[in-house]
Amino acid sequence: MDEVGRQARWERRTELPLAVASLVFLIMYAIQVLAQGLPGAWRDLCAAVMYLAWLMFVVDYGVRWRLSGQGLRFVPAHKLDTVVVLLPLLRPLRVVKVYEAVQRRHGEPRLSLYARVIAYAGVTTVLLGFACSLAVYDEERGAPGTQMHTFGDALWWACATLTTVGYGDVVPVTARGRVIAVGLMMCGLALLGAVTGSFSSWLLQVFSLESDRRNGGGPSED
Amino acid sequence: MDEVGRQARWERRTELPLAVASLVFLIMYAIQVLAQGLPGAWRDLCAAVMYLAWLMFVVDYGVRWRLSGQGLRFVPAHKLDTVVVLLPLLRPLRVVKVYEAVQRRHGEPRLSLYARVIAYAGVTTVLLGFACSLAVYDEERGAPGTQMHTFGDALWWACATLTTVGYGDVVPVTARGRVIAVGLMMCGLALLGAVTGSFSSWLLQVFSLESDRRNGGGPSED
Amino acid sequence: MDEVGRQARWERRTELPLAVASLVFLIMYAIQVLAQGLPGAWRDLCAAVMYLAWLMFVVDYGVRWRLSGQGLRFVPAHKLDTVVVLLPLLRPLRVVKVYEAVQRRHGEPRLSLYARVIAYAGVTTVLLGFACSLAVYDEERGAPGTQMHTFGDALWWACATLTTVGYGDVVPVTARGRVIAVGLMMCGLALLGAVTGSFSSWLLQVFSLESDRRNGGGPSED
Amino acid sequence: MDEVGRQARWERRTELPLAVASLVFLIMYAIQVLAQGLPGAWRDLCAAVMYLAWLMFVVDYGVRWRLSGQGLRFVPAHKLDTVVVLLPLLRPLRVVKVYEAVQRRHGEPRLSLYARVIAYAGVTTVLLGFACSLAVYDEERGAPGTQMHTFGDALWWACATLTTVGYGDVVPVTARGRVIAVGLMMCGLALLGAVTGSFSSWLLQVFSLESDRRNGGGPSED
């Protein structure tokens, strides 16, 4: 019980700093990718802040592992945390977690389940799409035969990919760019599933409510 | 109660004029985009009618805000209305609302829930697709490197985008055209969700009815 | 009652001839489109058989209208029949109806609801895809700038469209070809909805059965 | 009963050897397609191992047919097995079956229904995507006008196809490559259905649990 208490306290205290570090990481990464003309000293500063933010996540991961007292079973039980520590690109996924925690602190969530699913899916998609655009743009820039000349092209490509439209006017041509792209496609597939699934279950709910109303209360009446 | 009554009366009275204004706005916009050879005087008339229609929506928005007595809370509570006042392109979304109101006035809706969802999704999609085609065509026309030479090309692009097929033979190349396109893609994603979700929940209904019938009436029999 | 009896008898008797006519129409259309080198006399024979098949549908439509005694209300109540009489391309949709009738004649349908939905969606999609490929190939053949050189290209395009993949390596470029293509896209959207919806509701069923089994019978046990 | 017992024993005993043969077949096929510079003797060895693996499946199919005592009704009742014996490319589908059997042997499945559906869909998709990439790459390599120059291109194409994104920068151009591609598209459609359907039904479950909790237990309380 003491273990659990210490773990919960640690998570409550590190919540806000980690969320800030997460956003700082993304902003620093964006600056490093987009502001090519930056003087060397500033670029070094950016990189330093980025690694600092990363270090914070690694330390947090280590402390929570220690506090959990689970030994090696901690890694498979915290898949998302592990992936996020290894791949700084997926850092935005943590923001969703923070958002959830903030909601919980304010008592009952005010949004309905469907609105929350749509909100999570939307926030995750926007942040991941932005991060992937940065990463792919960084890989593709200057590659021979690429059509991705500006960051706007990268964003346009990310939108077409996430909605599974896939025009194909701008596509990654480097091997590493394509690997990131495949990750984004899967994310798009999941987004589609979330939107469709939410709509489908919301509709079923509305319908059963409506048929209840018509029957004068339905199953609860007899 | 008096406030609510005055608000309801206002909405009932402005319903038809606003629906007409909405269609007039779309038609005037279409004329302005497509009829390039029109003499200047006629073009000015079109623009004047357009701004008049817009003014009607702004006035309606203001009056309803006033009558609601909600102060600043009115804006987040009427998201769709606010967006529609700011972005004249999304005006068609209001048509759905009117359609709903007309249905309600004729007593019980005659269509089932699934048919209504499909009908709303269809009407919204057709109107939004048409409006976005106009807007994108207006942006892309004459842009260097564009494949969108005629309004037919723009319509063809809009259809391929809304169904998430995305051939990519005709794509927007200007920044503003692409921003509108991203909006249309999201609309396509929602349309897909509506169609799939409706089908899914309709199927579940049919199935539960069928299994009820086989069991000799099911819950209503005991 | 007599009216209904005569109508039912008419439908039972015309079922098989109309199904045969439907397939003959599609085959004749395919011959006319694909066998360009055919001598004039044979082409005329094909056209004659096609029109004869069409005439059968028109006569059947007229007789059923007469027997229904519904007057003008017959047209909106038989939307699919009306569309099929006007657009010979959509004739394959009737095959599904025949399939249903044959199943019913053999007593209880042996397939489950999900299998039937998948089977109908599959048969309709294959027949419509084939008919649309023929029609689009007929329009596109020889159009300036087209990539659709053989009927194989048209079939490849139809598959990529129906699954909403939309590569865009082969696309219709003529106005009439594109109109048919938009119809096929919508069909693909509906197919996606049918597949996803069936899967979703089947899964929900399996799950509720499984949770019933674990609870030792669930709601029916108490 | 004896028949069933002998059949079950046969299936239990052949499970592991067939799974190994299935993976060996895929690996040998990959070597044959990708290692073009291999000396003739090694290539012959690969082919021999492949045919041996295939032979094992044919023998297994024959023995099970014999043991079932079903005569010709065995073929329609074991569609997947029949297809897998005829098309070695679809061999990976058997891996899923083995995975299921292994799970069952360890008592109750530890994963929830949704996790299992996602896991099956994921494993099947990865294996089928890999097998189809190999087959299409084998067909397309060296075809005039192809953009599929390396196996990496083939994998990239398979990913874009399975997620129904379909950029169209790399597409099969040969007839046989396109036939395989159509199969992969359908697989992508099914994958989309599985992801969307799982999400949709999971959401419905969560929602009904949540509303039960709010109502203080719901239907099980009275």
Side-chain angles (χ1 to χ4, degrees):
Chain A
M1 214 61 175
D2 188 47
E3 284 294 311
V4 171
R6 266 159 70 189
Q7 214 178 331
R9 224 177 323 138
W10 171 264
E11 284 187 10
R12 219 169 41 237
R13 274 195 203 149
T14 54
E15 215 162 65
L16 199 67
L18 284 175
V20 172
S22 171
L23 281 178
V24 164
F25 185 92
L26 192 58
I27 293 167
M28 288 301 132
Y29 185 62
I31 290 174
Q32 221 181 29
V33 170
L34 299 178
Q36 288 283 308
L38 221 63
W42 284 101
R43 292 185 64 81
D44 291 351
L45 183 69
C46 269
V49 173
M50 259 175 76
Y51 283 112
L52 207 72
W54 193 2
L55 202 69
M56 278 177 70
F57 281 102
V58 173
V59 167
D60 167 64
Y61 186 75
V63 170
R64 282 194 297 134
W65 191 343
R66 197 65 202 287
L67 289 176
S68 74
Q70 286 183 313
L72 280 172
R73 271 176 306 131
F74 181 82
V75 177
H78 293 77
K79 279 193 202 74
L80 182 60
D81 289 316
T82 312
V83 166
V84 157
V85 162
L86 295 177
L87 284 177
L89 253 179
L90 297 178
R91 195 74 78 229
L93 289 174
R94 286 219 45 128
V95 174
V96 170
K97 220 173 160 182
V98 171
Y99 178 69
E100 207 164 33
V102 169
Q103 283 259 331
R104 212 178 300 127
R105 193 179 288 173
H106 295 151
E108 279 283 302
R110 269 181 280 164
L111 291 164
S112 74
L113 182 67
Y114 303 120
R116 260 182 298 155
V117 167
I118 296 283
Y120 292 177
V123 170
T124 313
T125 305
V126 166
L127 287 173
L128 262 184
F130 184 69
C132 282
S133 299
L134 282 170
V136 168
Y137 179 56
D138 201 27
E139 296 294 339
E140 293 291 311
R141 184 170 34 195
T146 188
Q147 294 293 321
M148 212 179 274
H149 301 301
T150 65
F151 183 57
D153 289 336
L155 281 177
W156 167 245
W157 162 80
C159 287
T161 301
L162 275 170
T163 54
T164 77
V165 169
Y167 290 124
D169 55 338
V170 182
V171 284
V173 292
T174 63
R176 282 163 68 179
R178 283 180 173 178
V179 168
I180 303 169
V182 169
L184 200 64
M185 284 178 207
M186 281 170 197
C187 182
L189 209 64
L191 173 68
L192 202 68
V195 169
T196 306
S198 306
F199 202 92
S200 164
S201 41
W202 170 77
L203 215 65
L204 263 172
Q205 277 252 313
V206 170
F207 193 93
S208 75
L209 287 179
E210 198 165 77
S211 72
D212 277 12
R213 218 171 42 214
R214 277 194 196 158
N215 300 344
S220 62
E221 210 201 25
D222 60 301
Chain B
M1 212 62 175
D2 188 45
E3 284 295 311
V4 172
R6 267 160 68 190
Q7 214 179 330
R9 224 176 324 138
W10 171 265
E11 284 187 11
R12 220 169 39 238
R13 275 196 202 148
T14 54
E15 215 163 65
L16 199 67
L18 285 175
V20 171
S22 172
L23 281 178
V24 164
F25 184 92
L26 193 58
I27 293 165
M28 288 301 132
Y29 185 62
I31 290 174
Q32 220 180 30
V33 169
L34 298 178
Q36 288 284 307
L38 220 62
W42 284 100
R43 292 185 65 81
D44 292 351
L45 183 69
C46 268
V49 174
M50 259 175 75
Y51 282 111
L52 207 73
W54 193 3
L55 203 68
M56 278 176 71
F57 281 103
V58 173
V59 167
D60 168 64
Y61 187 76
V63 170
R64 283 194 297 136
W65 190 343
R66 196 67 202 286
L67 288 176
S68 75
Q70 287 184 314
L72 279 171
R73 269 176 306 130
F74 181 81
V75 178
H78 294 75
K79 280 191 202 75
L80 181 60
D81 289 316
T82 312
V83 166
V84 157
V85 163
L86 294 178
L87 284 177
L89 253 178
L90 297 178
R91 197 74 76 228
L93 288 174
R94 286 220 44 128
V95 173
V96 170
K97 220 173 159 182
V98 171
Y99 178 70
E100 207 163 34
V102 169
Q103 283 258 331
R104 213 179 299 128
R105 193 178 289 172
H106 293 152
E108 279 285 301
R110 268 182 279 166
L111 291 163
S112 75
L113 182 67
Y114 303 119
R116 261 182 297 153
V117 167
I118 295 284
Y120 292 176
V123 169
T124 314
T125 304
V126 166
L127 287 173
L128 263 185
F130 183 69
C132 282
S133 300
L134 283 170
V136 167
Y137 179 57
D138 201 26
E139 296 294 339
E140 292 292 310
R141 185 168 35 193
T146 188
Q147 294 292 320
M148 212 178 276
H149 301 301
T150 65
F151 183 57
D153 289 337
L155 281 176
W156 168 245
W157 161 80
C159 288
T161 301
L162 275 170
T163 54
T164 77
V165 169
Y167 290 124
D169 55 338
V170 183
V171 284
V173 292
T174 62
R176 282 162 70 178
R178 283 181 174 179
V179 168
I180 303 170
V182 169
L184 200 64
M185 283 179 208
M186 281 170 196
C187 182
L189 209 63
L191 173 68
L192 203 68
V195 170
T196 306
S198 307
F199 202 92
S200 163
S201 41
W202 170 77
L203 215 65
L204 264 172
Q205 277 251 315
V206 170
F207 195 92
S208 74
L209 287 180
E210 198 164 78
S211 71
D212 278 11
R213 218 170 43 214
R214 278 195 195 157
N215 300 345
S220 62
E221 211 201 24
D222 60 300
Chain C
M1 212 63 174
D2 188 44
E3 284 294 311
V4 172
R6 267 161 68 190
Q7 213 177 332
R9 226 177 322 139
W10 171 265
E11 284 187 12
R12 219 169 39 238
R13 275 197 202 147
T14 54
E15 215 163 64
L16 198 68
L18 285 175
V20 171
S22 171
L23 281 178
V24 164
F25 185 91
L26 192 59
I27 292 166
M28 289 300 132
Y29 186 62
I31 289 173
Q32 220 179 31
V33 170
L34 298 179
Q36 289 283 307
L38 220 63
W42 284 101
R43 292 186 64 82
D44 291 350
L45 182 68
C46 270
V49 173
M50 260 176 74
Y51 283 112
L52 206 73
W54 192 3
L55 202 69
M56 278 175 70
F57 281 103
V58 173
V59 167
D60 167 63
Y61 187 75
V63 169
R64 282 194 297 135
W65 190 342
R66 196 66 201 288
L67 288 176
S68 76
Q70 287 184 314
L72 278 172
R73 269 176 307 131
F74 181 82
V75 178
H78 293 76
K79 280 191 202 75
L80 182 60
D81 289 316
T82 312
V83 166
V84 157
V85 162
L86 294 178
L87 283 177
L89 253 178
L90 297 178
R91 196 74 77 227
L93 288 173
R94 286 220 44 130
V95 173
V96 170
K97 221 173 161 183
V98 171
Y99 177 70
E100 208 164 32
V102 170
Q103 282 259 332
R104 214 179 298 128
R105 192 178 289 173
H106 295 151
E108 280 283 302
R110 269 180 279 164
L111 291 163
S112 75
L113 183 67
Y114 303 119
R116 261 182 298 154
V117 167
I118 296 283
Y120 291 177
V123 170
T124 314
T125 305
V126 167
L127 287 173
L128 262 185
F130 183 69
C132 282
S133 299
L134 283 171
V136 168
Y137 179 57
D138 201 26
E139 295 294 338
E140 293 291 310
R141 186 169 33 194
T146 188
Q147 294 292 321
M148 212 179 276
H149 301 301
T150 65
F151 182 58
D153 290 336
L155 280 177
W156 168 244
W157 161 81
C159 287
T161 300
L162 274 170
T163 55
T164 77
V165 169
Y167 290 122
D169 55 338
V170 183
V171 284
V173 293
T174 62
R176 282 163 70 179
R178 283 180 173 178
V179 168
I180 303 170
V182 170
L184 200 64
M185 284 178 207
M186 281 170 197
C187 182
L189 210 64
L191 173 68
L192 203 67
V195 170
T196 306
S198 306
F199 202 93
S200 163
S201 42
W202 170 77
L203 215 64
L204 264 171
Q205 276 251 314
V206 170
F207 194 92
S208 75
L209 286 180
E210 199 164 78
S211 71
D212 277 12
R213 217 169 44 211
R214 279 195 195 157
N215 300 345
S220 63
E221 210 203 26
D222 60 301
Chain D
M1 212 63 174
D2 186 47
E3 284 295 310
V4 172
R6 266 160 69 189
Q7 213 178 332
R9 224 178 322 138
W10 171 265
E11 283 185 11
R12 218 168 42 237
R13 275 196 203 148
T14 53
E15 215 163 63
L16 199 68
L18 285 175
V20 171
S22 172
L23 281 178
V24 164
F25 184 91
L26 193 58
I27 293 166
M28 288 301 132
Y29 185 62
I31 289 174
Q32 222 180 28
V33 170
L34 298 179
Q36 289 283 308
L38 220 63
W42 285 100
R43 292 185 65 82
D44 291 350
L45 183 68
C46 269
V49 174
M50 260 176 74
Y51 283 112
L52 207 72
W54 193 3
L55 202 69
M56 278 176 71
F57 281 103
V58 173
V59 167
D60 168 64
Y61 186 75
V63 169
R64 283 195 296 136
W65 191 342
R66 195 68 200 287
L67 288 176
S68 74
Q70 286 184 315
L72 279 171
R73 271 176 306 131
F74 181 82
V75 177
H78 293 77
K79 280 192 203 74
L80 181 60
D81 289 316
T82 312
V83 166
V84 157
V85 162
L86 296 178
L87 284 177
L89 253 178
L90 297 177
R91 195 75 76 229
L93 289 174
R94 287 219 45 129
V95 174
V96 170
K97 219 172 161 183
V98 170
Y99 177 70
E100 208 165 33
V102 169
Q103 283 258 332
R104 214 179 299 127
R105 193 179 289 172
H106 294 152
E108 279 284 300
R110 269 182 279 166
L111 291 164
S112 74
L113 183 67
Y114 303 120
R116 262 182 297 154
V117 167
I118 296 283
Y120 292 177
V123 169
T124 314
T125 305
V126 166
L127 287 173
L128 262 184
F130 183 69
C132 282
S133 299
L134 283 170
V136 168
Y137 179 56
D138 201 26
E139 296 293 338
E140 292 292 309
R141 185 169 34 195
T146 187
Q147 294 292 322
M148 211 178 277
H149 301 301
T150 66
F151 183 57
D153 289 336
L155 281 176
W156 167 245
W157 161 80
C159 287
T161 301
L162 275 170
T163 54
T164 77
V165 169
Y167 291 122
D169 55 337
V170 182
V171 283
V173 293
T174 62
R176 283 163 68 178
R178 283 181 174 178
V179 168
I180 303 169
V182 169
L184 201 64
M185 284 178 206
M186 282 171 196
C187 182
L189 209 65
L191 172 69
L192 203 67
V195 170
T196 306
S198 305
F199 201 92
S200 164
S201 42
W202 170 77
L203 215 65
L204 264 171
Q205 277 251 314
V206 170
F207 194 93
S208 74
L209 286 180
E210 198 165 76
S211 72
D212 278 12
R213 217 172 43 215
R214 279 195 194 157
N215 300 346
S220 62
E221 211 201 25
D222 61 301

